[in-house]
Amino acid sequence: MILITGAAGYIGSQCALNFSINKYDDIVIFDNLSTGHIETVKKLQEINPKIQFIKGDLKNKEEISNVFNQYKIDAVIHFAALSQVGESVINPSLYYSNNVIGTINLLNSMVENNVLKIVFSSTAATYGEPEYIPIDENHPQNPINPYGNTKLIIEKVMDDFDKAYNLKSVRLRYFNVIGADEQTRVGEWHNPETHLVPNILKSVFKNDVKFKIFGDDYDTKDGTCIRDYVDVIDLCDAHLLALEYLKKYNKTDVFNLGTQEGQSVKEIFNISQDVTNQKIEYEIVEKRLGDPKILLANSLKARSVLNWQPKRTTFDSIKNAFEWEKSLNDKLKASN
Ligand code: UFG
């Protein structure tokens, strides 16, 4: 059985779905529902009735220990984390206790139960301000915010747990994740929403919310920031490959997950207009603090070692995200 933490959230739920329709349908989800949604868990259980759900908090060692006592876990896919950069700056304590202490409780439970394989959601935020582009896995890791710090600390804890207890981890460093399930069963559902694509799309439904571009005088081709946007379903394929890698080689490793193609905020905005087939209103506002002008992955390692191949175009991802936004908007309207 696979334990997936944080599967009530955006990326975790897509992976639980991916694992379910591939050969790993024996799943237990552990989530405290602080940012994830029970509706998402119910939808996953509807698709895969074998899914077990335990509402619990990683900060509570007993709650996570109980999962290992109750189920025979073979490996863990660990998504559960707080992930808002801005919030982490204002409230670092919350981030260190939730992300770092929570993960240490999880790792201790794993070691106690001799479960020694974990796939971990790390982030490009562990690199900080890029020293060179594209960023490969050997790029120095100097995070510039508490969120990035928590993920880097966890990577180091995992190294030490490997040396001391033989716990093997594959850390996947995500770049900018976009998109949704092709059948709108799961998708991005944050409150508040801070990310680019859902913010553009939400402004289509809400006449009172105008989409804001954070700065247009960066030293880039059109003055807006450049990011590497990777599709969430492609990203989940990499998690399956990472688990197979762990099972085959029993080796700790790290991989960047990005497309190696940079797109500016304006380019993403234009693709969104094409997808929605409408003219979307926008305004240029002040730069957001801590936004590097460009983040771009070198993901050759994931491609050659894991045999990972991101397949979806940005247009496809935004199209799926738009269909998901529509269904979410309808759902929220109906429940009000
Ligand atoms: N942006 C806007 N308007 C918005 C939202 C975003 O112009 O309403 C811009 C941002 O300034 C940035 C780009 O769109 O240039 C992407 O912003 P996101 O908030 O979507 O994503 P980030 O690049 O800030 O963050 C992502 C992840 C983080 C992770 C980081 C790694 O969401 O968890 O990449 O660098 F830490």
Side-chain angles (χ1 to χ4, degrees):
M1 189 168 219
I2 307 289
L3 167 63
I4 308 185
T5 72
Y10 171 41
I11 304 172
S13 60
Q14 186 69 57
C15 277
L17 183 54
N18 245 37
F19 275 61
S20 292
I21 46 193
N22 286 288
K23 58 184 178 186
Y24 297 102
D25 62 348
D26 212 3
I27 294 169
V28 54
I29 290 174
F30 185 85
D31 198 301
N32 66 5
L33 300 179
S34 69
T35 54
H37 303 272
I38 188 65
E39 292 87 341
T40 304
V41 175
K42 286 188 177 151
K43 178 50 94 180
L44 290 170
Q45 287 177 316
E46 210 178 285
I47 300 161
N48 174 7
K50 277 168 86 175
I51 290 181
Q52 304 291 313
F53 172 56
I54 305 289
K55 181 171 185 285
D57 198 314
L58 289 176
K59 293 194 289 301
N60 184 325
K61 174 70 168 64
E62 211 181 311
E63 286 181 5
I64 184 62
S65 278
N66 285 341
V67 176
F68 287 87
N69 295 336
Q70 205 177 333
Y71 299 100
K72 179 155 179 3
I73 310 290
D74 303 304
V76 178
I77 319 291
H78 177 35
F79 296 98
L82 292 170
S83 64
Q84 282 189 38
V85 172
E87 184 185 50
S88 79
V89 176
I90 296 164
N91 197 349
S93 169
L94 183 70
Y95 274 66
Y96 285 102
S97 72
N98 192 80
N99 294 2
V100 179
I101 297 175
T103 302
I104 291 175
N105 284 339
L106 171 67
L107 298 181
N108 280 330
S109 299
M110 289 178 67
V111 171
E112 283 157 21
N113 290 278
N114 205 28
V115 179
L116 298 174
K117 291 179 179 53
I118 184 167
V119 179
F120 171 59
S121 308
S122 190
T123 168
T126 60
Y127 295 117
E129 195 69 48
E131 289 177 18
Y132 57 84
I133 290 286
I135 299 170
D136 59 23
E137 289 83 358
N138 296 322
H139 185 285
Q141 288 180 288
N142 296 308
I144 53 168
N145 53 59
Y147 167 66
N149 280 332
T150 64
K151 292 282 181 172
L152 179 58
I153 291 168
I154 296 167
E155 288 199 10
K156 289 186 190 295
V157 170
M158 286 179 168
D159 277 335
D160 293 339
F161 270 53
D162 183 5
K163 288 185 198 115
Y165 314 120
N166 209 25
L167 186 141
K168 304 296 177 189
S169 61
V170 169
R171 307 75 178 271
L172 300 174
R173 295 187 188 140
Y174 309 161
F175 282 68
N176 287 62
V177 187
I178 59 168
D181 173 48
E182 277 147 356
Q183 297 174 40
T184 69
R185 292 168 292 189
V186 292
E188 194 163 7
W189 185 0
H190 295 124
N191 199 5
E193 186 52 76
T194 59
H195 293 119
L196 177 63
V197 169
N199 274 352
I200 299 172
L201 298 175
K202 277 183 198 312
S203 75
V204 173
F205 298 106
K206 296 192 176 136
N207 296 332
D208 54 330
V209 194
K210 200 189 261 185
F211 168 64
K212 297 181 175 62
I213 293 182
F214 299 139
D216 69 345
D217 59 352
Y218 285 94
D219 178 20
T220 58
K221 52 188 170 187
D222 62 18
T224 63
C225 287
I226 292 174
R227 295 285 181 275
D228 184 327
Y229 294 92
V230 55
D231 184 86
V232 67
I233 309 170
D234 287 337
L235 190 92
C236 291
D237 288 345
H239 288 70
L240 265 170
L241 294 168
L243 180 60
E244 311 255 289
Y245 179 83
L246 269 177
K247 285 170 64 174
K248 194 161 170 198
Y249 298 106
N250 196 34
K251 186 171 166 249
T252 286
D253 218 331
V254 55
F255 301 95
N256 280 344
L257 297 181
T259 61
Q260 312 194 123
E261 272 165 44
Q263 283 167 304
S264 73
V265 173
K266 278 191 179 156
E267 283 172 333
I268 295 290
F269 178 78
N270 289 336
I271 298 171
S272 303
Q273 293 202 118
D274 292 345
V275 165
T276 59
N277 204 14
Q278 39 188 306
K279 199 167 164 9
I280 304 174
E281 297 273 306
Y282 73 95
E283 59 185 321
I284 308 285
V285 299
E286 282 291 289
K287 284 179 181 165
R288 194 169 65 176
L289 229 59
D291 268 342
K293 71 172 178 189
I294 173 162
L295 283 176
L296 187 58
N298 173 333
S299 56
L300 289 173
K301 191 177 167 195
R303 288 160 199 260
S304 62
V305 178
L306 294 180
N307 207 10
W308 178 60
Q309 191 59 56
K311 299 185 193 85
R312 287 155 186 89
T313 63
T314 309
F315 186 93
D316 291 339
S317 307
I318 298 181
K319 188 164 169 291
N320 292 335
F322 185 49
E323 293 306 319
W324 159 256
E325 275 301 335
K326 275 197 252 181
S327 72
L328 181 62
N329 195 51
D330 291 347
K331 198 168 8 196
L332 295 177
K333 255 200 213 147
S335 67
N336 273 334

